[in-house]
Amino acid sequence: MTDLHTHILYGVDDGSESLEMSLEMLKMASDNGTHHLVLTPHCNVPDGYMNYMNSTIIGRYERIRQEVEKRHIDIEVYLGMEVYASDDVDELIKAEEIIPINRTRYLLIEFAFEEDPMWVSYILEKVQRTGLTPLLAHPERYIFVQNFPYMVHDWIRSGCLMQVNRGSIVGRFGQAVEETVHFLLERGLVHAVASDGHRPYARTPILNDAYDCIADYYGQMTADRLCRINPRRILTNQRVISSSRHSGYHPY
Ligand SMILES: [Fe+2]
């Protein structure tokens, strides 16, 4: 499987605290069937984690790669960012202060939990005008999506993609989130599942339990599409495969 969203780059956000913890998390991911994984530290968070592209991020990424190889952990590691939306996001993209997943066309973007959905639409459009495709991180966790889930339909129709969290599917974020994630899954409004893994003991970087849950509810083809095929296609800058339920709407 391929995991597009993790906080395993150590010492830069609320995820991994050390190189050892990062390697423990990568071993855990690999042991649970994830063999391609993107490090996506929080970035552009006001009064928080700024993490614009810099030598510390690149240095720690390289260090992790070296240790993974040395310790024979069966996983390929890539670099990206989870970008917190701001009015100047398009300027930051043009300045290459923020980078898409593995420098593809796909930008992992998150919003405040109680954002105005009209502002979300405005920002997603701004990102698209730079030539990138927004991959919205965990839509099911936002209050504005829980209240107006059909907004997701419009965002997908305009060319955006949706990434839901493994924890939402296996019931780790409460009933409202779980109901919303299934609302989206049932309607084919999800393109990828990721772990959003933060620690080796809580919000862990694994996908296999979510894969099994999706396979049980929606069939193995859907589980493969959301946990293996589409994440891999995003990572390699290819177009995603949409659910047949939604294919009439999606521009791809
Ligand atoms: Fe995250």
Side-chain angles (χ1 to χ4, degrees), residues 89-103:
V89 67
D90 49 347
E91 301 300 326
L92 293 164
I93 291 166
K94 285 178 204 154
E96 298 191 23
E97 297 272 17
I98 57 183
I99 60 155
I101 291 170
N102 195 29
R103 293 195 184 270

Side-chain angles (χ1 to χ4, degrees), residues 152-223:
V152 171
H153 223 277
D154 293 347
W155 296 328
I156 292 175
R157 198 154 34 178
S158 74
C160 301
L161 304 183
M162 300 295 139
Q163 173 261 303
V164 302
N165 276 8
R166 161 255 174 187
S168 307
I169 295 167
V170 298
R172 298 287 161 80
F173 295 111
Q175 200 183 340
V177 172
E178 196 175 346
E179 281 175 14
T180 305
V181 84
H182 284 287
F183 177 98
L184 300 176
L185 285 165
E186 278 163 15
R187 288 161 181 79
L189 300 173
V190 176
H191 301 93
V193 176
S195 73
D196 196 3
H198 278 67
R199 294 291 160 98
Y201 43 81
R203 299 184 70 185
T204 50
I206 62 168
L207 293 172
N208 53 346
D209 50 1
Y211 178 96
D212 291 343
C213 186
I214 295 170
D216 282 351
Y217 278 96
Y218 307 101
Q220 199 177 336
M221 271 174 67
T222 300

Side-chain angles (χ1 to χ4, degrees), residues 5 7 42 82 138 196 198:
H5 179 171
H7 299 273
H42 287 292
E82 182 181 19
H138 42 64
D196 196 3
H198 278 67

